[in-house]
Amino acid sequence: MAFLGGSRTYYLWLALLCVCILQAVFAYAHQFQYGLITTNMRDSVSWGFYIGNFTFLVGVAAAAVLLVIPAYVYNWKPIKEVVIFGELLAVASIIMCLLFVSVDMGRPDRFWHLIPFIGHMHLPQSIMAWDATVLNAYLLINFCVATYLVYCAYHGKKYNPKIVVPLVILSIPMAIGIHTVTAFLYNGMASRPYWNSAILAPRFIASAFCSGPALLLILFQILRKISSFEIKDEAIHKVAEYMAYAMALNLFLFGAEVFKEYYSNTHHLVHYQYLFTGLHGESSPIAPYAWMSLLFAISSFVLFIVPKTRMNPITMNVGCVLIYLSVYIEKGIALIIPGYTPDPLGQIYHYVPSASEVRVAIGVFGIGFLIFTLMVKVAVEILFSKKGQPAHD
Amino acid sequence: MSKLQVASKPPPKMDRNGPSRREIIVQTFFSLAATASLTGCLADKRIRDDFVQKYFKDLSPEELKTTLARMEKQYWEDYGKHINVTSTPPLEGVLYGYALDLSRCIGCRKCVYACVDENNQSRDPQTHWITVLEMDKEGGVDLAKADAFYDHEEVPAPGKFYMPVACQHCENPPCVKVCPVGATWKEPDGIVVIDYNWCIGCRCCITACPYGARRFNWTTPTIPKDQINTETDYLGNRPRPRGVVEKCTWCIGRVRKGLYPRCVEACPVGARKFGNLLDPESEVRYIIENKRVLILKEELNTQPKFFYYYGL
């Protein structure tokens, strides 16, 4: 059992995650008993915190590709050995995505209606049906590749590149695909002018290429400290450099969107006004977060684009945390809620997630982090602790 | 102008300041009960029947008959009353259309409550399929300045006019396009319907609808037993379960039997008109051909079959 045995910190971390999960089980039981009324979502704002988290995590999952592209396409050594963690992160993120969708469903017992052939998938019209398809396919592909690589290492064999390389190459367009399809889910809603913009999908990809690697960079540094996992500074700095470019693109696309709305000043501007200032003289509960997200994005961009601060471990880690928070707010709050506020009939419902929603969300993150921790533990144990030696228990 | 919407009442119990020990015990009990009900559900015939029920459009005439009978039995258990559940097929050569005279509507909301009675909408939390918007006469139709929560002693208020909005029964309905399981569709007579036993509660349709016409059952709908309308239709006004989306169906069970929708009957000023768009002699055709007609959000190409007009 490779996931057993570890430091005290490791066990404390697992215990903390279990507490997160357990308290969420109670919150979800409450939701299951009374229905989604335990959330603060209502007809005016019918998707909220759950779907915001879902959208953010699809981005994290898609970001594995940022590591895969240089590693396999250019066969660039320092990154190649870390790709597997990107894939494991993708697996954990997609599982969290599916859990967030499940807790958001009014009738989770009818999930089977979405299963091809048994149920009735409304293809090709429904983007939601496409999203379910690509997410599950992406989960499967990453899970298979990661498992196969670990399996080969465990048996001390060399993996067969004829199996791995085509699958990995395929996962590149699929990673772009899952985030594009998720963006199209919003993008295709003509009733919501806030989302009905052609650059929504590129914005999704740009922000994903910041947030996913931000998580991985921190993970690599932790692994480097606590295990014999080796990663060169050169690789970390290269990833950080890519993140700076992605953030530049992200900010540019956001600026393009803001310019279009404020300069043309149509009725559709109300959603951006709700995001940044509030409407009808009332302040908006999400405005402080919107400004915080923008501030974090700009400051992390500065930290990453200047080589000196990018190479400094402290400022780099600060930058990673800022990027992560910035994108989390942008995807989780700033994307969903202004899309719904004001609603199609002009009414304003100030949505703020309920305690119950936050608790369930913490539990979903708990499950995701638990799965990720256990998978990484096994992978590190097999791939690095014994350094390619066949392992025997 | 404060326009805070209070769509539904808060749940019976909310643990805002963290649960007490008693609540934890209660919640543990319920979570165990939930787990037990999930595993034990296959033993309960009713839950099993609901779980395996097929998509409405895939039901054979025989299966439809047994499904309707099963529903009547379930409603008997729930409400202690015989509730007639029918499934009236669409009429040949009919495409329904609706017209509403903005110059007559006084904003009394009689249509809203007649609709609640007719269609077995939840009384607590209160669900309305029709939203009546109040707007300034000077400003004209401007949804950004509309107020759905006006509360006057008397209507109409000076300087205001009223625009009731419900499902527009689009010819090109965005809600139908986005549904991941095909639980909502357009019938041959133009009525957009939902199979409440197939909807998974993802709320894509609510997001897609430009008219805010769909309602989600955030908790179990409640209807006092003495207020139940016992004449129901599978796709229309039969009582709905929790966790699914519902909407106006133009009283599908009534109109297919040649009656008017209840809101048309209830309107005290005769602002509401309904009829067959394919019939050149119908009232709706006369209005479209002879009055100043407008449709909502024309630019979205949803092609509503709901026409607002100025009759006076």
Side-chain angles (χ1 to χ4, degrees):
Chain A
M1 299 299 266
F3 51 82
L4 289 177
S7 66
R8 226 179 112 134
T9 330
Y10 174 66
Y11 280 108
L12 273 175
W13 171 241
L14 291 189
L16 175 73
L17 293 177
C18 289
V19 170
C20 290
I21 296 166
L22 204 64
Q23 63 79 34
V25 169
F26 290 132
Y28 186 70
H30 188 65
Q31 179 185 315
F32 193 83
Q33 192 194 354
Y34 291 108
L36 282 162
I37 201 160
T38 59
T39 71
N40 277 351
M41 293 184 275
R42 291 299 178 263
D43 289 340
S44 274
V45 180
S46 66
W47 285 339
F49 195 53
Y50 292 156
I51 295 298
N53 280 305
F54 158 81
T55 312
F56 171 72
L57 288 166
V58 174
V60 174
V65 77
L66 187 67
L67 300 173
V68 171
I69 292 172
Y72 286 89
V73 175
Y74 301 109
N75 200 21
W76 194 55
K77 288 290 175 201
I79 282 184
K80 196 161 185 171
E81 58 192 2
V82 304
V83 162
I84 187 154
F85 295 107
E87 270 155 5
L88 294 179
L89 180 65
V91 169
S93 308
I94 295 285
I95 290 172
M96 285 189 268
C97 288
L98 297 174
L99 284 171
F100 270 115
V101 172
S102 308
V103 297
D104 191 65
M105 273 168 82
R107 295 299 299 241
D109 55 318
R110 295 184 183 165
F111 72 95
W112 67 270
H113 295 182
L114 256 173
I115 299 173
F117 307 109
I118 305 170
H120 184 275
M121 267 190 141
H122 191 223
L123 293 174
Q125 293 94 331
S126 169
I127 302 295
M128 185 76 133
W130 279 111
D131 210 22
T133 313
V134 292
L135 284 175
N136 283 301
Y138 187 68
L139 173 63
L140 195 70
I141 257 194
N142 280 291
F143 184 76
C144 289
V145 171
T147 315
Y148 177 68
L149 289 177
V150 172
Y151 172 85
C152 288
Y154 182 78
H155 288 281
K157 294 190 293 192
K158 200 171 164 358
Y159 66 84
N160 182 355
K162 279 185 185 156
I163 298 173
V164 173
V165 174
L167 282 177
V168 168
I169 301 286
L170 178 65
S171 78
I172 295 171
M174 282 202 60
I176 303 283
I178 56 165
H179 220 25
T180 306
V181 173
T182 308
F184 284 175
L185 186 62
Y186 299 101
N187 197 179
M189 304 272 186
S191 57
R192 311 280 170 179
Y194 182 74
W195 301 331
N196 196 218
S197 148
I199 58 168
L200 197 67
R203 276 184 67 195
F204 269 49
I205 305 285
S207 64
F209 280 2
C210 307
S211 56
L215 200 63
L216 283 173
L217 282 195
I218 291 186
L219 175 80
F220 292 155
Q221 295 171 64
I222 295 172
L223 287 180
R224 190 157 67 167
K225 272 228 161 81
I226 62 172
S227 76
S228 58
F229 166 66
E230 281 171 29
I231 179 165
K232 298 188 181 79
D233 276 346
E234 189 197 344
I236 287 188
H237 295 150
K238 202 73 193 167
V239 174
E241 193 186 327
Y242 286 149
M243 285 162 66
Y245 303 148
M247 188 47 95
L249 187 61
N250 190 27
L251 284 167
F252 171 71
L253 291 174
F254 177 71
E257 200 91 276
V258 167
F259 167 77
K260 173 218 162 200
E261 293 295 359
Y262 278 88
Y263 190 77
S264 50
N265 191 16
T266 66
H267 279 311
H268 298 164
L269 181 61
V270 286
H271 304 290
Y272 271 96
Q273 285 172 332
Y274 186 74
L275 177 64
F276 284 124
T277 50
L279 285 169
H280 307 302
E282 270 186 64
S283 61
S284 143
I286 57 170
Y289 294 98
W291 287 106
M292 215 193 295
S293 168
L294 191 58
L295 185 72
F296 288 173
I298 293 170
S299 38
S300 59
F301 171 66
V302 173
L303 288 179
F304 274 62
I305 200 74
V306 177
K308 216 173 166 184
T309 42
R310 181 168 71 226
M311 312 250 186
N312 178 318
I314 294 166
T315 42
M316 189 192 73
N317 284 332
V318 170
C320 281
V321 172
L322 291 179
I323 284 185
Y324 195 78
L325 291 176
S326 167
V327 177
Y328 182 71
I329 295 169
E330 189 200 319
K331 285 284 162 293
I333 300 169
L335 174 82
I336 315 285
I337 298 166
Y340 281 109
T341 326
D343 76 7
L345 297 183
Q347 308 305 303
I348 294 169
Y349 168 65
H350 295 293
Y351 167 84
V352 185
S354 71
S356 172
E357 274 173 280
V358 175
R359 285 177 56 197
V360 171
I362 289 173
V364 172
F365 274 105
I367 294 173
F369 277 87
L370 185 67
I371 291 171
F372 187 56
T373 307
L374 297 180
M375 287 191 307
V376 167
K377 180 85 166 74
V378 172
V380 167
E381 203 97 327
I382 292 169
L383 291 173
F384 301 109
S385 295
K386 288 162 189 169
K387 274 281 157 196
Q389 298 292 316
H392 298 288
D393 276 343
Chain B
M1 179 166 46
S2 172
K3 295 197 294 181
L4 182 70
Q5 180 181 7
V6 185
S8 327
K9 284 193 173 181
K13 205 194 302 171
M14 296 283 285
D15 38 349
R16 289 200 183 282
N17 303 318
S20 68
R21 185 182 301 161
R22 191 175 154 274
E23 276 176 323
I24 289 177
I25 293 165
V26 171
Q27 286 189 4
T28 313
F29 173 75
F30 280 124
S31 54
L32 288 174
T35 322
S37 68
L38 279 174
T39 47
C41 69
L42 291 175
D44 183 326
K45 189 171 180 310
R46 174 166 171 176
I47 294 170
R48 188 178 60 210
D49 285 345
D50 276 343
F51 183 73
V52 299
Q53 193 194 310
K54 284 212 270 184
Y55 182 36
F56 178 79
K57 292 206 255 185
D58 291 342
L59 292 171
S60 69
E62 272 309 301
E63 286 169 327
L64 179 62
K65 230 169 119 183
T66 52
T67 303
L68 296 178
R70 182 168 60 77
M71 278 171 183
E72 288 178 350
K73 192 165 158 268
Q74 288 182 3
Y75 290 137
W76 173 263
E77 286 166 13
D78 292 346
Y79 299 100
K81 256 186 181 180
H82 178 73
I83 293 177
N84 198 23
V85 187
T86 55
S87 180
T88 318
L91 303 170
E92 287 281 321
V94 172
L95 185 68
Y96 293 112
Y98 206 115
L100 194 147
D101 189 348
L102 287 176
S103 51
R104 279 185 202 270
C105 178
I106 54 168
C108 66
R109 293 198 181 109
K110 285 222 159 48
C111 51
V112 175
Y113 291 97
C115 175
V116 169
D117 280 346
E118 170 66 31
N119 289 298
N120 288 323
Q121 267 128 284
S122 174
R123 311 305 206 270
D124 181 27
Q126 214 174 59
T127 302
H128 295 169
W129 287 353
I130 305 172
T131 309
V132 184
L133 299 174
E134 184 184 73
M135 287 178 267
D136 291 324
K137 275 186 177 163
E138 326 179 337
V141 177
D142 182 356
L143 296 178
K145 293 189 179 126
D147 182 8
F149 305 98
Y150 63 91
D151 189 15
H152 307 302
E153 284 291 315
E154 278 182 21
V155 283
K160 305 283 186 187
F161 76 99
Y162 299 86
M163 177 178 240
V165 184
C167 177
Q168 310 275 306
H169 295 277
C170 307
E171 197 49 29
N172 180 18
C175 55
V176 168
K177 187 159 70 178
V178 299
C179 179
V181 293
T184 180
W185 67 90
K186 191 178 68 179
E187 286 278 285
D189 52 7
I191 299 179
V192 177
V193 293
I194 298 173
D195 180 354
Y196 312 122
N197 276 53
W198 194 254
C199 171
I200 59 172
C202 72
R203 311 189 293 292
C204 265
C205 55
I206 301 187
T207 310
C209 176
Y211 307 105
R214 292 182 162 234
R215 297 289 175 264
F216 184 67
N217 288 290
W218 297 97
T219 190
T220 311
T222 55
I223 316 161
K225 283 175 188 169
D226 57 321
Q227 291 177 30
I228 287 234
N229 178 2
T230 53
E231 281 309 307
T232 72
D233 194 274
Y234 182 100
L235 296 172
N237 57 344
R238 69 183 166 98
R240 274 81 62 190
R242 176 210 296 170
V244 302
V245 176
E246 57 182 53
K247 64 183 281 295
C248 157
T249 63
W250 278 347
C251 294
I252 190 165
R254 288 169 60 93
V255 299
R256 284 180 175 177
K257 289 175 191 131
L259 299 166
Y260 278 128
R262 264 295 289 280
C263 51
V264 173
E265 284 184 356
C267 181
V269 293
R272 291 173 168 269
K273 311 288 179 191
F274 182 80
N276 181 5
L277 289 172
L278 303 180
D279 174 6
E281 303 298 311
S282 70
E283 200 175 11
V284 282
R285 275 288 287 272
Y286 179 84
I287 290 162
I288 293 168
E289 283 161 16
N290 297 288
K291 300 287 180 183
R292 283 170 58 209
V293 169
L294 69 107
I295 56 171
L296 277 184
K297 305 196 185 185
E298 191 177 357
E299 72 279 10
L300 298 182
N301 192 30
T302 52
Q303 300 167 32
K305 287 191 287 290
F306 197 108
F307 305 92
Y308 295 95
Y309 71 104
Y310 296 96
L312 299 174

